[in-house]
């Protein structure tokens, strides 16, 4: 092992803007790849200060507004590992690659998008995060939709679906979370469901299901899984009827309203009244509304973008309501919230805290 290549995987330190409850999946896959080659691999959050000198450093990134922590890590490792190859990947690195290359030139290598399939389809090395108990899986990459607010078309421009996910599951894990951008668009979704059912672990389609693709038969097949939660998105009033029907189908099969959570985009080509109507619909239908404030796909501080249909004061009203009367940032169909927001007539009635 003394002659083996030393590989350091770096996750920026967590902060108010750089935060996720999930481990860095891309780094775990890179770690598994290098271990197969007989290399020595370490994962660290932030600065490594024990004198270990890596031959390669991989730095991950999250959303574009969390660029500061990524720059901090690049600066530190470029200074302390002067001759070491540094690769920067992830969401921010892909969407803002030109900015990174202008700032750091040839000192870093920017990995745009997903690494090759030989790494993307490898079983992540979860031994690097021994306290983590959930396998994170992509049964497909990309999406058949081209929503204007979404970064998927840049991060994963080609839709590719895989017929099996069995080799992506860590045996000791208790649950599985799928990060597919559009699981039901895969021609293999039923086969994957059969594998998930056979594994018998709790399943979460974390990115949400496409309500337009839900039928009675689809819902029945999904309900055979140990579902933690069913998630949808209500990003515009155009999907109102398909979403309403999908919710009715799942509730008709016995799923409780609090087990259906719906992402509700705002601050993107909408208005406060449009947003109020969508949240009101969800609470009236008896499901959880989870507001998602739009952030531009560029490097700028978080919560500084104000769309032309909104004002800073109106956006702050939503933030205050989520914090004060919401639960974990969401609006569940509790009686008080249904009466306040679900039955509201104006944005002010719905979200003011007077």
């Amino acid at each position: 092992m003394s002659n083996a290549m030393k590989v350091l995987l770096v996750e920026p330190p967590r902060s108010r803007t750089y935060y996720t409850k999930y481990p860095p999946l891309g780094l775990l896959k890179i770690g598994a790849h290098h271990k197969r080659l007989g290399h020595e691999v370490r994962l660290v959050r932030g600065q490594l200060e024990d004198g270990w000198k890596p031959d390669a450093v991989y730095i991950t990134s999250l959303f574009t507004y969390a660029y500061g922590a990524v720059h901090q890590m690049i600066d530190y490792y470029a200074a302390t590992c002067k001759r070491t190859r540094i690769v920067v990947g992830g969401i921010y690195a892909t969407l803002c690659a030109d900015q990174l290359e202008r700032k750091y030139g040839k000192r870093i290598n920017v990995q745009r998008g997903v690494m090759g399939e030989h790494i993307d389809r490898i079983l992540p090395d979860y031994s690097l995060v021994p306290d983590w108990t959930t396998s994170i899986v992509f049964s497909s990459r990309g999406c058949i939709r081209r929503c204007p607010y979404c970064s998927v078309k840049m991060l994963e421009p080609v839709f590719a679906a895989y017929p099996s996910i069995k080799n992506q599951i860590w045996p000791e894990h208790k649950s599985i979370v799928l990060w597919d951008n559009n699981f039901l668009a895969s021609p293999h979704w039923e086969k994957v469901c059969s594998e998930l059912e056979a594994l018998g672990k709790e399943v979460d389609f974390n990115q949400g299901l496409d309500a337009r693709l839900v039928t009675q038969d689809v819902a029945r097949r999904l309900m055979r899984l140990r579902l933690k939660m069913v998630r949808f998105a209500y990003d515009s009033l155009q999907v109102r009827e398909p979403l309403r029907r999908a919710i009715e189908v799942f509730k008709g099969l016995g799923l409780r309203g609090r087990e259906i959570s719906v992402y509700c985009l705002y601050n993107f080509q909408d208005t406060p009244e449009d947003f109020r109507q969508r949240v009101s619909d969800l609470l009236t239908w008896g499901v959880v509304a989870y507001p998602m404030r739009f952030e531009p796909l560029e490097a700028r501080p978080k919560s500084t973008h104000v769309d032309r249909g909104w004002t800073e004061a109106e956006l702050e009203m939503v933030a205050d309501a989520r914090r004060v009367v919401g639960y974990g940032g969401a609006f569940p169909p509790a009686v008080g919230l249904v009466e306040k927001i679900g039955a509201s007539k104006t944005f002010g009635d719905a979200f003011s805290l007077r």
Side-chain angles (χ1 to χ4, degrees):
M1 180 63 76
S2 59
N3 295 323
M5 180 178 175
K6 296 180 177 180
V7 176
L8 183 64
L9 312 174
V10 179
E11 181 182 18
R14 292 181 180 174
S15 64
R16 187 179 64 83
T17 56
Y18 196 102
Y19 176 79
T20 174
K21 67 179 182 180
Y22 295 101
L25 182 64
L27 293 185
L28 301 186
K29 292 182 178 183
I30 292 169
H33 169 71
H34 278 284
K35 283 190 176 181
R36 285 187 178 183
L37 297 176
H39 300 159
E40 186 178 353
V41 177
R42 292 180 65 176
L43 171 68
V44 65
R45 180 177 295 141
Q47 299 178 0
L48 181 68
E49 299 175 331
D50 64 0
W52 195 73
K53 294 298 182 182
D55 300 300
V57 174
Y58 293 88
I59 301 173
T60 191
S61 65
L62 277 177
F63 306 111
T64 53
Y65 55 73
Y67 61 91
V70 181
H71 290 184
Q72 180 184 2
M73 291 298 95
I74 297 172
D75 293 339
Y76 174 78
Y77 287 103
T80 57
C81 306
K82 296 184 182 297
R83 297 183 179 180
T84 300
R85 177 173 179 259
I86 298 176
V87 181
V88 186
I91 297 174
Y92 160 66
T94 298
L95 298 179
C96 302
D98 291 345
Q99 181 196 64
L100 276 173
E101 290 172 343
R102 285 195 303 269
K103 182 175 177 62
Y104 292 102
K106 295 181 179 180
R107 184 62 189 91
I108 65 170
N109 297 276
V110 178
Q111 170 61 45
R112 290 171 164 85
V114 179
M115 300 189 81
E117 189 170 322
H118 68 293
I119 292 180
D120 189 41
R121 298 299 295 161
I122 200 171
L123 175 64
D125 182 11
Y126 289 106
S127 71
L128 294 167
V129 285
D131 295 332
W132 183 253
T133 60
T134 299
S135 290
I136 305 170
V137 175
F138 282 94
S139 77
S140 64
R141 288 285 191 175
C143 182
I144 61 171
R145 313 293 181 187
R146 306 284 293 183
C147 301
Y149 52 81
C150 184
S151 63
V152 170
K153 56 185 174 292
M154 291 168 273
L155 297 170
E156 303 169 18
V158 178
F159 185 75
Y162 309 115
S164 176
I165 51 88
K166 286 188 295 186
N167 70 332
Q168 299 288 297
I169 309 301
W170 196 258
E172 292 78 20
H173 282 171
K174 300 177 181 179
S175 58
I176 300 169
V177 59
L178 286 99
W179 278 359
D180 294 48
N181 300 293
N182 199 327
F183 175 77
L184 294 177
S186 167
H188 309 298
W189 74 268
E190 290 181 272
K191 186 176 186 300
V192 172
C193 279
S194 295
E195 292 186 347
L196 293 170
E197 186 177 7
L199 288 165
K201 301 177 187 287
E202 189 177 77
V203 176
D204 180 12
F205 296 99
N206 188 261
Q207 301 302 94
L209 299 169
D210 189 337
R212 291 161 288 190
L213 301 179
V214 171
T215 64
Q216 192 82 18
D217 289 340
V218 167
R220 284 199 188 97
R221 186 66 190 86
L222 293 172
M223 288 289 285
R224 286 161 55 183
L225 305 177
R226 289 182 57 198
L227 293 175
K228 180 179 181 179
M229 177 80 71
V230 169
R231 306 176 196 275
F232 296 110
Y234 194 5
D235 298 325
S236 77
L237 289 169
Q238 292 178 337
V239 298
R240 185 178 192 272
E241 285 309 301
L243 176 61
R244 183 186 60 78
R245 288 194 297 269
I247 290 171
E248 286 182 352
V249 167
F250 275 101
K251 292 181 76 172
L253 293 174
L255 200 65
R256 296 183 303 160
R258 288 176 179 267
E259 295 172 328
I260 301 175
S261 182
V262 184
Y263 300 120
C264 203
L265 183 72
Y266 67 104
N267 194 38
F268 180 83
Q269 298 180 6
D270 65 335
T271 64
E273 176 53 32
D274 177 290
F275 173 67
R276 181 205 68 80
Q277 180 62 61
R278 286 180 283 134
V279 174
S280 174
D281 283 344
L282 296 174
L283 294 179
T284 301
W285 297 338
V287 299
V288 179
Y290 194 98
M292 298 283 286
R293 177 171 174 167
F294 173 75
E295 297 286 351
L297 308 182
E298 60 189 47
R300 60 183 295 164
K302 187 177 183 180
S303 300
T304 58
H305 171 72
V306 180
D307 197 65
R308 62 179 180 271
W310 289 78
T311 66
E312 290 186 12
E314 290 165 337
L315 292 170
E316 190 61 31
M317 287 175 67
V318 176
D320 288 343
R322 294 181 68 187
R323 184 170 55 250
V324 176
V325 301
Y327 296 84
F331 298 125
V335 173
L337 287 173
V338 173
E339 291 176 349
K340 177 175 174 54
I341 301 178
S344 64
K345 300 300 182 184
T346 68
F347 177 82
D349 290 339
F351 296 102
S352 65
L353 298 179
R354 61 180 182 272

